[in-house]
Amino acid sequence: MNVRESTLPLNRALVAVSLAALLVLGGCGKTVERIDTDETRDLSGRWNDTDSRLVAEEMVADALARPWLEDHREDAGERPTVIVGEIRNLSHEHINTRTFINDLQRELVNSGEVDFVASDEQRKAIREERADQDLHASPDTRKAMGEELGADYMLLGSINTIIDQEGREQVRFYQVDLEMISLDDNRKVWLGQKKLKKFVSGAAVRP
């Protein structure tokens, strides 16, 4: 038997082991499944898109059902104009407050109960566009400075958490506080609060 013949069984064994390893690795690969954007899958127990959407819907509905809205209509004879200000994240985790602000804005605008004005950053961009129009647009199409709609109320708020953990079990408590404040005299015309509590268990539980 020559050397080449003696190494054939070894080579075949190595090929078999390699194929088996590939099959195992292939079975552990990543899978991706498209799901409906309204479907709830709470994987980590942390604040997620469903929390943001549902809290915004519930709190805006409560705000629009309170006396301040009808009082403003009776006094001013028109719908109030609202702007969303800062929503502070005072929690233990990273929360994308911009998404929550967008959810609040959507609920307010789509309600048809209030008028809504652009944010501070958006107003700066719009004013730059007006300044450009003042130089380059025709007189009958340019939009004049000083004609903006001023807000009557600003919505401000915060998100807080309390984490209670023992071993592999954890309770995550979220409290969202919102305030509708009159820009005319700083009166707080509505105070809203929403609480969420989640029980999380398992080996991967982290604060």
Side-chain angles (χ1 to χ4, degrees), residues 121-178:
E121 292 181 0
Q122 292 171 329
R123 291 197 302 273
K124 289 178 181 177
I126 294 170
R127 287 165 185 164
E128 290 176 1
E129 170 61 21
R130 288 200 193 100
D132 185 75
Q133 286 189 12
D134 195 45
L135 292 174
H136 304 292
S138 61
D140 57 332
T141 62
R142 71 173 58 127
K143 305 303 180 291
M145 292 286 193
E147 299 296 328
E148 297 179 13
L149 179 64
D152 300 302
Y153 302 92
M154 177 176 283
L155 186 64
L156 299 170
S158 63
I159 303 174
N160 289 272
T161 57
I162 298 176
I163 307 298
D164 185 19
Q165 182 168 342
E166 180 66 29
R168 296 183 178 182
E169 295 183 338
Q170 181 185 95
V171 174
R172 306 182 72 88
F173 173 79
Y174 295 85
Q175 180 170 308
V176 182
D177 294 289
L178 297 179

Side-chain angles (χ1 to χ4, degrees), residues 74-123:
E74 291 179 358
D75 293 340
E78 59 186 9
R79 296 181 299 185
T81 301
V82 177
I83 185 171
V84 176
E86 182 183 12
I87 305 295
R88 294 179 296 162
N89 176 22
L90 304 178
S91 72
H92 293 74
E93 64 187 72
H94 170 73
I95 293 179
N96 187 345
T97 56
R98 173 53 58 187
T99 300
F100 184 49
I101 289 173
N102 289 340
D103 286 336
L104 291 170
Q105 291 177 338
R106 184 189 65 251
E107 292 302 313
L108 285 166
V109 172
N110 292 343
S111 71
E113 300 291 339
V114 300
D115 289 324
F116 204 85
V117 293
S119 67
D120 179 57
E121 292 181 0
Q122 292 171 329
R123 291 197 302 273

Side-chain angles (χ1 to χ4, degrees), residues 11-71:
N11 290 338
R12 289 171 182 162
L14 289 173
V15 170
V17 170
S18 299
L19 289 174
L22 287 174
L23 289 174
V24 170
L25 291 174
C28 298
K30 181 189 293 185
T31 61
V32 177
E33 175 190 0
R34 291 188 181 274
I35 62 176
D36 191 273
T37 54
D38 291 330
E39 182 177 337
T40 301
R41 291 198 183 184
D42 209 333
L43 301 178
S44 66
R46 292 178 174 81
W47 178 274
N48 57 33
D49 63 307
T50 300
D51 298 323
S52 177
R53 175 174 53 83
L54 294 180
V55 170
E57 290 175 358
E58 184 173 331
M59 298 193 78
V60 169
D62 180 74
L64 298 179
R66 299 300 180 174
W68 71 274
L69 180 60
E70 189 59 34
D71 291 344

